[in-house]
Amino acid sequence: MSDRPLQEPTLLLLTALADEPRHGYGLIQEIDAISHGRVRMRTGTLYGALDRLLQQGLIQVQREEVVDGRARKVYALAADGRSTLAAEAARLRSVVEEAERRLAGRRASAVRPKGALA
């Protein structure tokens, strides 16, 4: 894994696959749910990202099936994808904790009367 933060589409895709394997349309729906409708991944973007994640070894094709005469791949999180997602979650948690700590400190100083010593 790189030390760089994950881009949002990658983070959302890995998160969508963290609990169970999904096919493309299922991933689009899950990303919509995870982001509360804020991110609507288009089909072209999705499959480009899936190809990249497959090449990086972060996801794998769990199985291929035929539904209504059409081939469909079901994707699953690979071991490297799970560790990458866990590392990114820890990084984000650390940033959020620091932001909250600083905001709490700012609120505390904001309620002090003018001229009061810190």
Side-chain angles (χ1 to χ4, degrees):
M1 177 190 154
S2 168
D3 289 337
R4 294 183 332 190
L6 294 179
Q7 292 184 350
E8 188 173 30
T10 300
L11 175 62
L12 291 170
L13 277 167
L14 295 180
T15 300
L17 291 170
D19 59 344
E20 66 182 66
R22 291 186 165 81
H23 55 78
Y25 182 67
L27 285 166
I28 288 172
Q29 291 178 310
E30 194 65 19
I31 288 168
D32 184 64
I34 291 168
S35 70
H36 304 286
R38 188 178 51 78
V39 175
R40 299 194 190 270
M41 191 167 286
R42 294 178 183 224
T43 305
T45 303
L46 172 70
Y47 287 103
L50 289 172
D51 286 343
R52 182 177 46 79
L53 295 173
L54 281 166
Q55 289 176 348
Q56 293 173 344
L58 299 179
I59 65 172
Q60 59 195 16
V61 175
Q62 185 185 54
R63 68 183 181 277
E64 294 187 45
E65 54 193 25
V66 177
V67 177
D68 296 328
R70 297 178 62 188
R72 174 165 78 179
K73 291 180 182 178
V74 176
Y75 299 91
L77 197 59
D80 284 350
R82 188 165 296 282
S83 61
T84 296
L85 181 58
E88 182 68 358
R91 185 193 71 78
L92 290 169
R93 189 176 306 108
S94 175
V95 170
V96 167
E97 288 170 356
E98 182 62 15
E100 288 174 340
R101 184 189 70 77
R102 289 175 182 228
L103 285 168
R106 181 72 176 154
R107 277 193 299 263
S109 65
V111 295
R112 281 192 208 112
K114 281 191 172 185
L117 297 175

